[in-house]
């Protein structure tokens, strides 16, 4: 990636380049991979707030899409690179400060994702029955932060606001026959609750038109193939203005054209008396959430599109429609969280950066969703992380070249605070235990969803292995 750079002896065996990566999702692992591919001697210490790695690949990607989790096999290989250390159960900004990291490492690369949600900005947004998609996704995927959430699945009508792939995941999980979910790694508590679900009508609502949805067409098409479920689109909603038509004619807008084609094929579908129904509504923005202590109605304003092709905006018409419902999932985008000492753009929810260099502070870098916002697929984070690492390596002559203590120094100070830091070996023990528990019930894994249980499994297996009673995986 770069020719030899003389920055003292930084990046040599005598003085390895020590980089702290904050977050163990795709962008963190791809950044580690790019660093190890450089000709320098590099040590990567990956700090992760959870005891287990892989970010949204473990806790976002839907359980019924196991193939999409395969990048974890690549991440696992990256974790075997000499010079890689995983420090799980360590929250940067709480257990370790930015200043500590700057003392122990030559550079810090933030890959901490976008863990909070955009808000609608309506009163009653948090009324009982109204949730973010993040909560629901985290709950069914067994994320420790969300495992204790509950959703009133005795309701028959659910509304999902937002028209991207996460909204599709939520709709599909609500609509899919429970027997098709049982063999997945969905958390047991979610399987039990979904088995008793009475949700029947699922409304997916977007503020712009069918030509502007963010669904990828394969995910959209899959909804039409669900057993016992019909997808419904009104033909009136597919009357497109001339700007939409020219958008669809653009060859680079192939995905949108496919989406509209799929919607068109669904206009002949009629609501069946039995089974579940997924309704698509376009050009509507929520303006009111009502209920006496719990959600029972959402009011939407109808929109029209104004402006030229590819820059059309949804403008309210003043016409209102009410939708009675008992369950709402808000899926309108993600935002990164601020971290003490790190510049933060509160309008976009990212760490502002130029070519991956965080604006205003030398030796801080960003990759993935915290850098560019929530966009793209898992693979998008690879090129993104590579670009950031290129900037970091180009900056080598300007980094503080004095030898740094890296993970060793950090772990010593964390041990003084009695924090149990989990290694990649600990994760492998948890992984093996999850797979063992899963095999008993016919699942690829039974996720351990409680932090204390993860720590206990790691400690217990570790002790047994040390006593020679158990071979490590
Ligand atoms: C619901 C959902 C489903 C998706 N499904 C797909 C799919 O099917 N296919 C696909 O290609 N893409 C999918 N994506 C997109 C994909 O998951 C993202 O592109 C990718 O995960 C972003 O990677 P990241 O590393 O930037 O962030 P993340 O994956 O979010 O990783 C960030 C990591 O940082 C950790 N962290 C955060 N703060 C701290 C801190 N202070 N200290 C230490 N650690 C911290 C987090 O715990 C997390 O592990 C999905 C996204 C969502 C939300």
């Amino acid at each position: 990636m770069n020719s030899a750079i003389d920055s003292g002896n930084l990046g040599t065996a005598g003085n390895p380049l020590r980089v702290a990566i904050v977050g163990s999702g795709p962008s963190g692992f791809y950044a580690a991979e790019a660093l190890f591919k450089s000709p320098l001697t590099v040590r990567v210490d990956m700090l992760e707030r959870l005891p287990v790695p892989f970010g949204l690949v473990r806790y976002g990607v839907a359980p019924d899409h196991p193939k999409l989790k395969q990048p974890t096999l690549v991440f696992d290989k990256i974790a075997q690179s000499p010079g890689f250390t995983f420090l799980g159960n360590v929250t940067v900004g709480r257990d370790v400060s930015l200043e500590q990291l700057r003392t122990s490492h030559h550079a810090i690369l933030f890959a901490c994702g976008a863990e909070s949600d955009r808000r609608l900005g309506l009163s009653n947004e948090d009324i009982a029955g109204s949730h973010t998609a993040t909560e629901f996704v985290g709950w069914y995927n067994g994320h420790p932060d969300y495992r204790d959430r509950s959703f009133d699945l005795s309701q028959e009508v659910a509304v999902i606001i937002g028209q991207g792939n996460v909204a599709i995941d939520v709709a599909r999980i609500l609509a899919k026959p429970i027997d098709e979910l049982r063999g997945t790694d969905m958390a047991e508590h979610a399987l039990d609750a979904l088995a008793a679900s009475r949700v029947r009508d699922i409304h997916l609502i977007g503020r712009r038109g069918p030509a502007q949805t963010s669904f990828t067409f394969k995910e959209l098409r899959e909804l039409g193939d669900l057993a016992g479920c019909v997808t419904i689109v009104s033909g009136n909603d597919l009357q497109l203005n001339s700007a939409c038509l020219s958008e669809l004619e653009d060859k680079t807008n192939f995905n949108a054209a496919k989406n509209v084609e799929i919607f068109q094929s669904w206009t002949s579908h009629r609501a069946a008396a039995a089974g579940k129904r997924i309704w698509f509504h376009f050009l509507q923005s929520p303006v009111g959430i009502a209920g006496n202590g719990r959600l029972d109605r959402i009011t939407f304003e109808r929109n029209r599109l104004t402006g030229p092709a590819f820059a059309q905006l949804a403008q309210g018409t003043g016409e209102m429609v009410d939708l009675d419902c008992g369950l709402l999932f808000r899926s309108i985008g993600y935002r990164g969280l601020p971290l003490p000492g790190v510049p933060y753009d509160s309008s976009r929810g990212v760490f502002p950066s130029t070519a991956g260099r965080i604006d205003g502070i030398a030796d801080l870098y960003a990759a993935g969703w915290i850098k560019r916002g929530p966009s793209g697929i898992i693979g998008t984070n690879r090129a993104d992380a590579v670009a950031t690492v290129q900037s970091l390596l180009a900056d080598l002559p300007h980094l503080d070249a004095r030898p740094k203590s890296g993970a060793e120094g950090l772990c010593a100070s964390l041990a003084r605070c009695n924090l149990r830091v989990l290694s990649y070996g600990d994760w492998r023990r948890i992984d093996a235990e999850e797979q063992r528990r899963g095999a008993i019930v016919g699942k690829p894994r039974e996720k351990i969803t409680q932090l204390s249980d993860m720590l206990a499994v790691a400690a217990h297996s570790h002790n047994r292995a040390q006593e020679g009673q158990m071979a490590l995986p």
Side-chain angles (χ1 to χ4, degrees):
M1 194 173 280
N2 219 324
S3 56
I5 301 162
D6 184 22
S7 179
N9 58 352
L10 184 55
T12 62
N15 184 14
L17 170 67
R18 294 192 186 271
V19 181
I21 294 182
V22 181
S24 67
S27 54
F29 273 100
Y30 289 135
E33 179 186 47
L35 283 162
F36 287 130
K37 280 188 177 165
S38 85
L40 304 172
T41 305
V42 183
R43 301 277 179 271
V44 170
D45 300 322
M46 182 177 277
L47 297 101
E48 167 56 53
R49 74 177 181 92
L50 296 172
V52 296
F54 307 147
L56 284 169
V57 181
R58 178 174 161 99
Y59 289 122
V61 173
D64 58 336
H65 282 168
K67 278 197 182 141
L68 301 177
K69 294 176 193 255
Q70 279 179 356
T72 58
L73 302 175
V74 175
F75 303 159
D76 197 55
K77 282 215 177 94
I78 297 166
Q80 305 316 309
S81 311
F84 177 90
T85 305
F86 179 74
L87 296 103
N89 198 34
V90 180
T91 301
V92 173
R94 186 193 68 188
D95 306 320
V96 176
S97 70
L98 177 62
E99 274 324 301
Q100 269 176 294
L101 282 183
R102 293 185 85 192
T103 309
S104 53
H105 291 80
H106 297 106
I108 300 138
L109 194 155
F110 289 94
C112 45
E115 295 208 294
S116 82
D117 300 87
R118 285 184 57 209
R119 292 184 61 82
L120 294 169
L122 297 176
S123 56
N124 269 343
E125 189 159 346
D126 298 311
I127 195 170
S130 168
H131 311 272
T132 60
T134 305
E135 290 172 76
F136 188 62
V137 168
W139 172 76
Y140 66 61
N141 272 321
H143 192 299
D145 290 358
Y146 301 106
R147 66 183 295 280
D148 294 321
R149 299 295 160 101
S150 61
F151 303 89
D152 182 4
L153 299 175
S154 69
Q155 299 295 327
E156 292 198 355
V157 182
V159 167
I160 303 165
I161 295 177
Q163 291 191 330
N165 283 348
V166 176
I168 287 200
D169 281 351
V170 172
R172 196 181 62 253
I173 294 297
L174 287 171
K176 207 163 196 172
I178 192 70
D179 287 341
E180 292 185 26
L181 296 172
R182 286 196 198 282
T184 73
D185 70 358
M186 180 177 278
E188 205 56 31
H189 58 247
L191 282 173
D192 290 344
L194 285 165
S197 168
R198 297 183 59 214
V199 173
R200 182 150 184 248
D201 286 297
I202 301 155
H203 297 267
L204 273 147
I205 304 181
R207 71 195 158 95
R208 296 199 291 163
Q212 288 85 29
T213 62
S214 319
F215 308 131
T216 48
F217 79 88
K218 282 189 187 151
E219 318 289 319
L220 181 64
R221 194 171 52 197
E222 192 186 348
L223 282 187
D225 297 332
L226 295 182
C229 180
V230 63
T231 40
I232 303 168
V233 180
S234 158
N236 290 341
D237 280 348
L238 298 182
Q239 308 289 327
L240 302 179
N241 66 19
S242 56
C244 289
L245 292 174
S246 46
E247 284 179 19
L248 296 180
E249 274 161 20
D250 189 309
K251 293 268 181 295
T252 61
N253 202 20
F254 166 81
N255 186 72
K258 287 295 275 185
N259 282 347
V260 170
E261 214 177 283
I262 293 167
F263 291 135
Q264 269 157 353
S265 73
W266 291 346
T267 54
S268 57
H269 291 183
R270 296 287 165 262
K276 296 187 178 176
R277 309 181 282 218
I278 299 178
W279 308 79
F280 287 83
H281 309 269
F282 307 100
L283 293 167
Q284 294 185 21
S285 294
V287 290
I289 296 177
N292 192 4
R294 88 167 320 289
L295 172 70
D296 46 42
R297 186 177 321 118
I298 308 175
T299 303
F300 293 88
E301 180 175 10
R302 287 195 193 280
N303 298 326
R304 78 166 75 83
L305 293 176
T306 60
F310 294 110
Q312 296 192 84
L313 297 175
Q315 198 171 60
T317 61
E319 188 191 343
M320 303 294 167
V321 274
D322 285 341
L323 183 51
D324 291 342
C325 64
L327 206 46
L328 165 63
F329 298 102
R330 308 179 316 263
S331 180
I332 57 165
Y334 294 86
R335 293 167 55 79
L337 291 167
L339 260 169
V342 184
Y344 180 70
D345 175 346
S346 59
S347 62
R348 294 180 57 223
V350 297
F351 294 167
S353 62
T354 309
R357 299 174 177 97
I358 294 185
D359 295 345
I361 306 191
D363 67 28
L364 301 192
Y365 299 84
W369 278 18
I370 193 62
K371 168 185 169 189
R372 64 175 200 280
S375 64
I377 57 169
I378 293 169
T380 315
N381 300 294
R382 182 177 231 147
D384 182 298
V386 167
T388 295
V389 167
Q390 275 169 346
S391 295
L392 190 162
L393 295 175
D395 291 348
L396 212 68
H398 311 293
L399 298 179
D400 174 1
R402 285 172 296 179
K404 304 273 183 167
S405 60
E408 230 169 82
L410 271 185
C411 285
S413 86
L414 289 167
R416 283 195 290 277
C417 308
N418 284 329
L419 188 87
R420 168 102 165 83
V421 180
L422 271 72
S423 66
Y424 203 80
D426 288 326
W427 151 243
R428 294 198 137 187
R429 291 177 195 100
I430 293 170
D431 183 31
E433 177 59 15
E434 288 188 343
Q435 292 188 41
R436 188 191 68 78
R437 292 182 190 185
I440 296 168
V441 289
K443 295 167 71 172
R445 70 176 62 241
E446 187 63 63
K447 281 186 190 165
I448 300 171
T449 59
Q450 197 133 282
L451 291 179
S452 54
D453 290 349
M454 291 182 188
L455 300 185
V457 165
H460 179 70
S461 313
H462 185 75
N463 292 342
R464 288 184 60 201
Q466 283 198 330
E467 286 162 15
Q469 295 173 1
M470 179 181 150
L472 284 181

